[in-house]
Amino acid sequence: MPLLQFQRVDFGVGGPLLLEHVDLTIEPGERVCIVGRNGAGKSTLMRLMAGELKPDDGEVRVQSGIVVARMAQEVPQDTQGSVFDVVAAGLGDLGALLARYHHAVHAGDMAAMAEAQALIEAGDGWDLDRRVQQVLERLELPEDAEFAALSGGMKRRVLLAQALVRAPDVLLLDEPTNHLDIAAIDWLEGFLKTFAGSLVFVTHDRGFLRALATRIVEIDRGRVTSWPGDYDNYLRRREERLHAEAQENARFDKLLAQEEVWIRQGIKARRTRNEGRVTALKAMRRERAARRELTGKVKMEAASAQASGKKVIEMTGVSQAFGGQVILRDASATLLRGDKVGIIGPNGSGKSTLLKILLGELQPDTGKVDLGTNLQIAYFDQHRSQLDDTRNALENVAGGRDFVEINGSRKHVVGYLQEFLFSPERARAPITRLSGGERNRLLLARLFAQPSNLLVMDEPTNDLDVETLELLEELLLDYPGTLLLVSHDRDFLDNVVTSTLVLEGDGRLGDYVGGYSDWLRQRPAPAPATPPAAAAPKPSATPSAPPPAPAEAPARKKLSYKDQRELEQLPGRIEQLETEIAARTAAMQDPAFYRQDGAAQQQANAALARLQAELDAAYARWEALDG
């Protein structure tokens, strides 16, 4: 039985409906990722699930007794108190009483303790106190630390605890990886895999998405479509659907054009006019007018400057410390023209300090940094401090000019911003009205309008939708200058950088070839702990025995008769599954498939997903037996 169900839900905020005729269910134990372009309505859909918004039409049904908890995309600015206070606030009034009791215990105020204790007992709240303590222990949170003093990553962990303390059956997470470092993202992945309830989340991190999602829900031009299976299956099927949709639209437009020619013919045609055909033409006009076109793609082009010198930055023997924390110890690195260098490290490890030293903005304690000749630097700031909130998008990009010049081509600033999906009205609106994703796109537009040969990007991926991320990857790969990239997006690093600088702790700066996955393979393995007995053997009067000979590799195991038979039959089974999948995929590419009701489409999607899972299992079994 579904935990949560949408039935023909509509929701709009002016103009075309943001969500139109949505039919959607969330089942027990699912991990559902919501995908779509910036502004498509992902956060709105989650707020409808949480009951924070009411639909304009239709119904959102939540099964009796089901608890839905949501972790917001942004950390609330007015959140105060200790970690215990913030987590307990998820329990409402009883949580506030528990926080009062907690403070009274620490202050030794017996009267306040007794008063809070009586109220907690009256509300049967001690079980909730144990739940708060269990969540704090599980998420490894310091209960007495002040929330305001925590790092961005720790604040998001506290907000996750605030949602979990409600013991939700459905947990809603909106961009949970924003501002988390790679270690924290890995921890969150592992934690959510063990979460017993249903999970609905929005993320731009493709590695995180692939690791968790068991179903993809797409929002596209108001329509919500469910795609069973993993993210890669969704990408394949989405391309097939868009191709079929384009073919159907082209056929419809051709027929409409023919009918428009017929209706405009002379007197002879009007005398023989078929009124049924006229009525059909009017219906076709209404259908064409109601069609919502696919949102265009961002068009990115970076203004390039004259080439820099061959050696861009050389850092030699640099050491730097702040407040007793060693950031760098005798670190050296060389960046050459055309290098694309990623910088990896935990939050607070000194990535911003390293950037400032490399760019000559900070003089190190010891060592030296030599900058190359003819450098023109463009800087992307993750805090977007380069944007002036008192000015609109046009003024932020062009500074009052009507044109920008990109690689010798003169573009009107309105047209240039349209390439970044800003309508003329949106471009003239105050930027305080822009979403996080739109602000990042605006900062990219401003950045790429500046001629540069050294591009410095500090966390550029936050809040961008996946399509824009992929286009940004393509631009950076083609960028003729040098790139310095700070990012916690593992896929983005793998797809863009050619080498990696890693802040490994205790002042060590590792220099590795390749991206994040290459670093994982190359990094030194931690030394195994040596047992005390082995570390200091007792002396012996007798000659030591020779070391044991290395164990031989285990012999290849012989297959049983049953396994041998299974191995012989698997190729035929694989071929049968591939044939059936190909036939179903071809049927779903037919435009007629999308004229069926939503339930029939979902059943067909589910059947295809089951066949794909069987095929994957068959291949895995074949490899295991054959090996």
Side-chain angles (χ1 to χ4, degrees), residues 315-327:
M315 180 173 72
T316 310
V318 165
S319 295
Q320 181 69 47
F322 285 115
Q325 180 188 359
V326 178
I327 305 297

Side-chain angles (χ1 to χ4, degrees), residues 241-472:
R241 187 203 70 192
L242 291 177
H243 178 67
E245 182 182 313
Q247 287 184 319
E248 173 66 10
N249 286 345
R251 185 198 64 78
F252 179 92
D253 292 345
K254 183 179 179 181
L255 179 59
L256 177 60
Q258 289 171 349
E259 294 300 288
E260 292 288 4
V261 169
W262 170 79
I263 199 71
R264 287 175 174 80
Q265 284 178 348
I267 295 171
K268 180 182 176 182
R270 286 201 296 271
R271 277 202 303 264
T272 60
R273 183 176 296 169
N274 182 332
E275 289 304 320
R277 193 171 176 181
V278 173
T279 303
L281 173 58
K282 291 178 179 177
M284 290 178 72
R285 287 173 175 170
R286 288 193 296 270
E287 184 178 343
R288 181 64 184 85
R291 183 194 299 171
R292 292 171 67 171
E293 300 291 349
L294 187 67
T295 308
K297 288 187 176 182
V298 175
K299 297 176 184 175
M300 295 185 187
E301 181 184 7
S304 57
Q306 183 181 349
S308 66
K310 182 176 176 60
K311 189 177 289 184
V312 177
I313 300 173
E314 184 172 28
M315 180 173 72
T316 310
V318 165
S319 295
Q320 181 69 47
F322 285 115
Q325 180 188 359
V326 178
I327 305 297
L328 296 170
R329 180 183 281 114
D330 195 27
S332 299
T334 301
L335 274 70
L336 301 178
R337 183 176 64 229
D339 284 352
K340 294 179 172 58
V341 182
I343 297 178
I344 298 175
N347 285 339
S349 61
K351 297 188 294 297
S352 296
T353 300
L354 175 59
L355 272 183
K356 289 178 181 177
I357 290 173
L358 288 171
L359 297 176
E361 297 175 4
L362 177 66
Q363 187 65 32
D365 295 341
T366 61
K368 65 174 184 174
V369 176
D370 294 322
L371 297 180
T373 58
N374 196 33
L375 286 184
Q376 287 185 257
I377 301 171
Y379 190 92
F380 182 99
D381 171 25
Q382 65 164 316
H383 302 294
R384 310 181 189 120
S385 57
Q386 297 168 357
L387 296 179
D388 185 348
D389 285 352
T390 64
R391 310 172 84 181
N392 61 27
L394 294 173
E395 293 164 339
N396 267 283
V397 169
R401 302 189 308 273
D402 288 335
F403 293 89
V404 293
E405 191 162 320
I406 310 291
N407 298 329
S409 173
R410 202 159 175 256
K411 298 183 179 181
H412 195 279
V413 64
V414 174
Y416 176 64
L417 281 174
Q418 283 179 317
E419 294 180 355
F420 286 81
L421 305 186
F422 288 96
S423 66
E425 297 77 18
R426 203 73 173 153
R428 293 185 176 91
I431 67 167
T432 50
R433 297 183 187 173
L434 302 183
S435 67
E438 287 175 317
R439 279 174 166 252
N440 262 20
R441 283 208 311 271
L442 179 61
L443 192 52
L444 289 173
R446 173 188 166 95
L447 182 78
F448 295 148
Q450 305 170 26
S452 69
N453 49 34
L454 174 57
L455 192 55
V456 182
M457 308 194 81
D458 190 359
E459 285 292 346
T461 63
N462 284 345
D463 300 317
L464 292 180
D465 58 60
V466 173
E467 284 188 49
T468 305
L469 269 183
E470 291 171 348
L471 290 167
L472 179 59

